[in-house]
Amino acid sequence: VSAADAEVLGCNAASDGYHVVVPAGAHEFSAQLADAGYEPIPVDLSELRKAGGAAKCCTLELRADAAKPPCGRSEATVRTQRSHGRRSEGAIRTDGAAREPYTRERVMTRLDARPTTPAEMESQHAAHNYKPLPVTIAEGSGAWVTDESGTRYLDLLAAYSALNFGHGHPRLLRVAREQLDRLTLTSRAFSNDQTGPFCRELAELCEKDAVLPMNTGAEAVETAIKAARRWGYQVKGVPVDGAEIIVMSDNFHGRTTTIVGFSSDPDSRAGFGPFTPGFRMVPFGDVDALRSAITERTVGVLLEPIQGEAGVIVPPAGYLAAVRALCDDFNVLMIADEIQSGLGRTGTTFACDLEGVRPDLYVLGKALGGGIMPLSAVVGDWDVLGVFTPGSHGSTFGGNPLACAVGREVLAMLRTGEYQDRAARLGARLEPQLRALVGKGLADVRIRGLWAGLDLAPGMASGRAVCEGLLAERILAKDAHESTIRIAPPLVIDEHDLDWAVDRLAHVLAR
Ligand code: PLP
């Protein structure tokens, strides 16, 4: 069976030899059974599954006479099945009546007709490119969310830092509602009264000249790549189509084909080639390797100042400053992807600030849209962003007035410094508590501001299993690459809630 069907314990089915009682979420398996001539009976077993059970756990076997064919099948049926291997025609019933063949279409129609939970609908009808924990969130406020049944959970993921300001921050909601009533989208064929002010205010926050607004993080990374290449040809004088960009091992910059093409993660890449040329990879944190990789064709060094998806990997002290110096020496653009690390998370506005470094291009996203709208941007000076001319780049929704209005409020909140300070203060409170767990289930802790990567000790349960344990304790967290738990709560989290979460984590690790 497929991995998704195995996940819902699809194999743990029960059959009388013709009917197969199977968990409702195991659609592909149900269809396979129908193709093979069996009659799947999908049953909603989601409640039972919480205890680790499926259809087979609900059965009580009757073994009156092991020599008899299983109930519901006549000797004739058994013979038919044995001789044909599978039944593609109407099944033979013990009562002798032929029945309509059970086709894949009939099963899917039947599955569609069944009342299912939202999570089961997601499993049935959303592509399986995610593997969500078994919780269905219906509401959120601050650092807390509530599921369909009213159970509250503390959110320690904050949508991968997109919710730095928490769920439904009143300032952001107010602005969003007001803007919804006024104007949502113009496209940039026309100006609107939000895009310009947003760009100016973001450029000021970054102490740069200009902004190119987009929507998702991956789009902003693509934009930075295009900017660096054009800059390479027009300003640096690299021969046409010869530009190279240096990237880091274990990077994560998004999911477009160009971006996954320079990923070192096989799960991200496999099956999606051929990939865009023009990228070179060096080990993250290795200054000498970076220096050796730079050539006269190098136009940019693209890096996350702290690698989030890789498990909150912090480079050696002085690394970012050394990258800056190399980029200056060799006339190469330093491109900092601060999509996850930026906007307050590390206790500073940008993670680069931790080393007093200013990149040539900031790539921003996630929290920029306040957890309400997708809003991303590339921010730089005119000598770089000036390479874009009308028609050379764009996006229908990029810089839309709704996202920009929310983004302007995000910038106003960041200008106070309150959220950066809070991240630093709560991080300082969290750090000793987490370090106390090293040797008690944790092997290592990396933390900057309110952002931590916790490596599980060898022999511990998988990261997924620990997150499931935390879920049972009403805490939402996400593993990174199986053996690391990532902690990135909304910056508005209450300090006592944070203490409680660490206490619960200690409890889960001690099991
Ligand atoms: N860059 C970094 C550092 C990220 O963490 C992410 C997302 O996790 C992205 C880029 C891609 O952002 P998006 O998912 O909005 O495309």
Side-chain angles (χ1 to χ4, degrees):
V1 299
S2 67
D5 286 359
E7 286 266 303
V8 295
L9 306 181
C11 296
N12 203 352
S15 174
D16 63 5
Y18 174 59
H19 306 95
V20 186
V21 181
V22 61
H27 337 277
E28 185 60 25
F29 184 37
S30 292
Q32 287 164 5
L33 287 166
D35 283 348
Y38 294 91
E39 180 172 341
I41 313 283
V43 175
D44 177 9
L45 291 159
S46 52
E47 283 301 314
L48 183 66
R49 209 164 70 226
K50 289 176 187 162
K56 183 72 178 161
C57 301
C58 303
T59 63
L60 179 61
E61 289 186 34
L62 299 176
R63 295 175 174 274
D65 179 357
K68 267 193 180 169
C71 73
R73 292 199 303 175
S74 67
E75 286 291 354
T77 310
V78 174
R79 274 199 304 278
T80 308
Q81 280 185 268
R82 283 190 189 135
S83 59
H84 297 303
R86 49 174 277 170
R87 283 188 291 181
S88 53
E89 307 254 308
I92 301 165
R93 310 278 303 266
T94 45
D95 57 10
R99 58 180 294 154
E100 212 184 316
Y102 225 79
T103 61
R104 177 178 286 254
E105 288 67 36
R106 276 191 65 203
V107 170
M108 295 319 280
T109 313
R110 184 176 168 148
L111 285 173
D112 280 348
R114 297 184 67 79
T116 56
T117 63
E120 283 176 345
M121 290 180 208
E122 182 173 333
S123 167
Q124 279 183 32
H125 300 292
H128 294 164
N129 56 331
Y130 281 90
K131 192 167 106 181
L133 286 171
V135 57
T136 304
I137 300 165
E139 284 173 34
S141 174
W144 287 88
V145 296
T146 309
D147 76 5
E148 298 168 302
S149 66
T151 305
R152 296 178 78 224
Y153 298 82
L154 187 63
D155 182 357
L156 294 193
L157 180 64
Y160 306 97
S161 287
L163 286 160
N164 276 1
F165 307 98
H167 297 265
H169 192 290
R171 279 182 70 168
L172 299 175
L173 284 186
R174 181 182 51 75
V175 167
R177 285 188 182 119
E178 284 171 11
Q179 189 62 38
L180 261 179
D181 285 341
R182 292 200 311 120
L183 181 73
T184 55
L185 184 64
T186 53
S187 85
R188 292 197 55 203
F190 317 106
S191 292
N192 67 72
D193 63 356
Q194 295 300 318
T195 308
F198 165 74
C199 291
R200 179 192 160 130
E201 288 157 17
L202 179 56
E204 276 173 6
L205 186 85
C206 300
E207 297 177 13
K208 296 282 184 194
D209 295 339
V211 168
L212 200 161
M214 297 293 283
N215 311 282
T216 66
E219 285 175 310
V221 172
E222 290 274 358
T223 303
I225 291 168
K226 287 168 87 172
R229 285 181 169 182
R230 260 210 179 174
W231 173 86
Y233 303 130
Q234 294 182 2
V235 181
K236 181 167 175 170
V238 172
V240 174
D241 290 348
E244 279 179 359
I245 293 177
I246 299 177
V247 298
M248 302 297 149
S249 55
D250 298 323
N251 68 69
F252 185 85
H253 297 287
R255 299 291 193 171
T256 64
T257 40
T258 290
I259 292 173
V260 299
F262 58 75
S263 165
S264 54
D265 173 16
D267 286 346
S268 302
R269 290 168 57 90
F272 298 131
F275 297 120
T276 313
F279 298 94
R280 264 187 187 215
M281 187 177 296
V282 297
F284 183 55
D286 186 336
V287 180
D288 292 334
L290 176 59
R291 186 183 296 107
S292 316
I294 295 176
T295 69
E296 66 281 1
R297 290 167 173 255
T298 308
V299 297
V301 173
L302 170 64
L303 82 173
E304 300 151 84
I306 294 175
Q307 293 186 323
E309 292 301 300
V312 192
I313 307 296
V314 181
Y319 176 68
L320 296 177
V323 174
R324 176 67 276 176
L326 280 177
C327 287
D328 288 341
D329 289 351
F330 291 96
N331 191 24
V332 167
L333 299 178
M334 179 178 180
I335 308 167
D337 179 346
E338 294 253 19
I339 287 170
Q340 195 165 157
S341 58
L343 308 183
R345 173 58 58 191
T346 58
T348 45
T349 303
F350 301 110
C352 283
D353 296 343
L354 294 168
E355 285 199 12
V357 164
R358 293 185 66 241
D360 297 296
L361 293 179
Y362 285 103
V363 187
L364 304 173
K366 293 198 193 282
L368 193 58
I372 296 177
M373 291 295 292
L375 177 60
S376 64
V378 175
V379 190
D381 284 332
W382 278 125
D383 60 340
V384 184
L385 286 188
V387 299
F388 287 110
T389 45
S392 60
H393 193 53
S395 157
T396 305
F397 284 88
N400 70 75
L402 179 56
C404 285
V406 175
R408 291 181 68 191
E409 196 66 12
V410 164
L411 297 173
M413 289 161 71
L414 284 170
R415 278 197 298 272
T416 67
E418 176 191 336
Y419 295 90
Q420 296 89 322
D421 290 350
R422 195 172 168 80
R425 191 165 51 76
L426 292 182
R429 183 185 177 103
L430 182 62
E431 182 167 358
Q433 298 181 43
L434 292 176
R435 293 216 185 278
L437 298 177
V438 173
K440 296 178 182 163
L442 295 185
D444 193 16
V445 171
R446 295 171 295 278
I447 179 164
R448 287 292 181 277
L450 198 47
W451 198 23
L454 318 179
D455 289 346
L456 296 170
M460 285 292 295
S462 69
R464 171 86 183 186
V466 170
C467 289
E468 283 167 358
L470 287 169
L471 182 69
E473 300 288 336
R474 300 195 297 116
I475 291 168
L476 302 184
K478 173 84 174 78
D479 58 305
H481 298 288
E482 275 301 300
S483 57
T484 301
I485 308 293
R486 171 187 8 203
I487 305 287
L491 307 181
V492 297
I493 190 172
D494 181 273
E495 56 196 37
H496 300 296
D497 290 343
L498 198 56
D499 297 346
W500 172 77
V502 179
D503 178 68
R504 293 294 79 202
L505 172 65
H507 177 72
V508 170
L509 292 174
R511 275 188 203 149

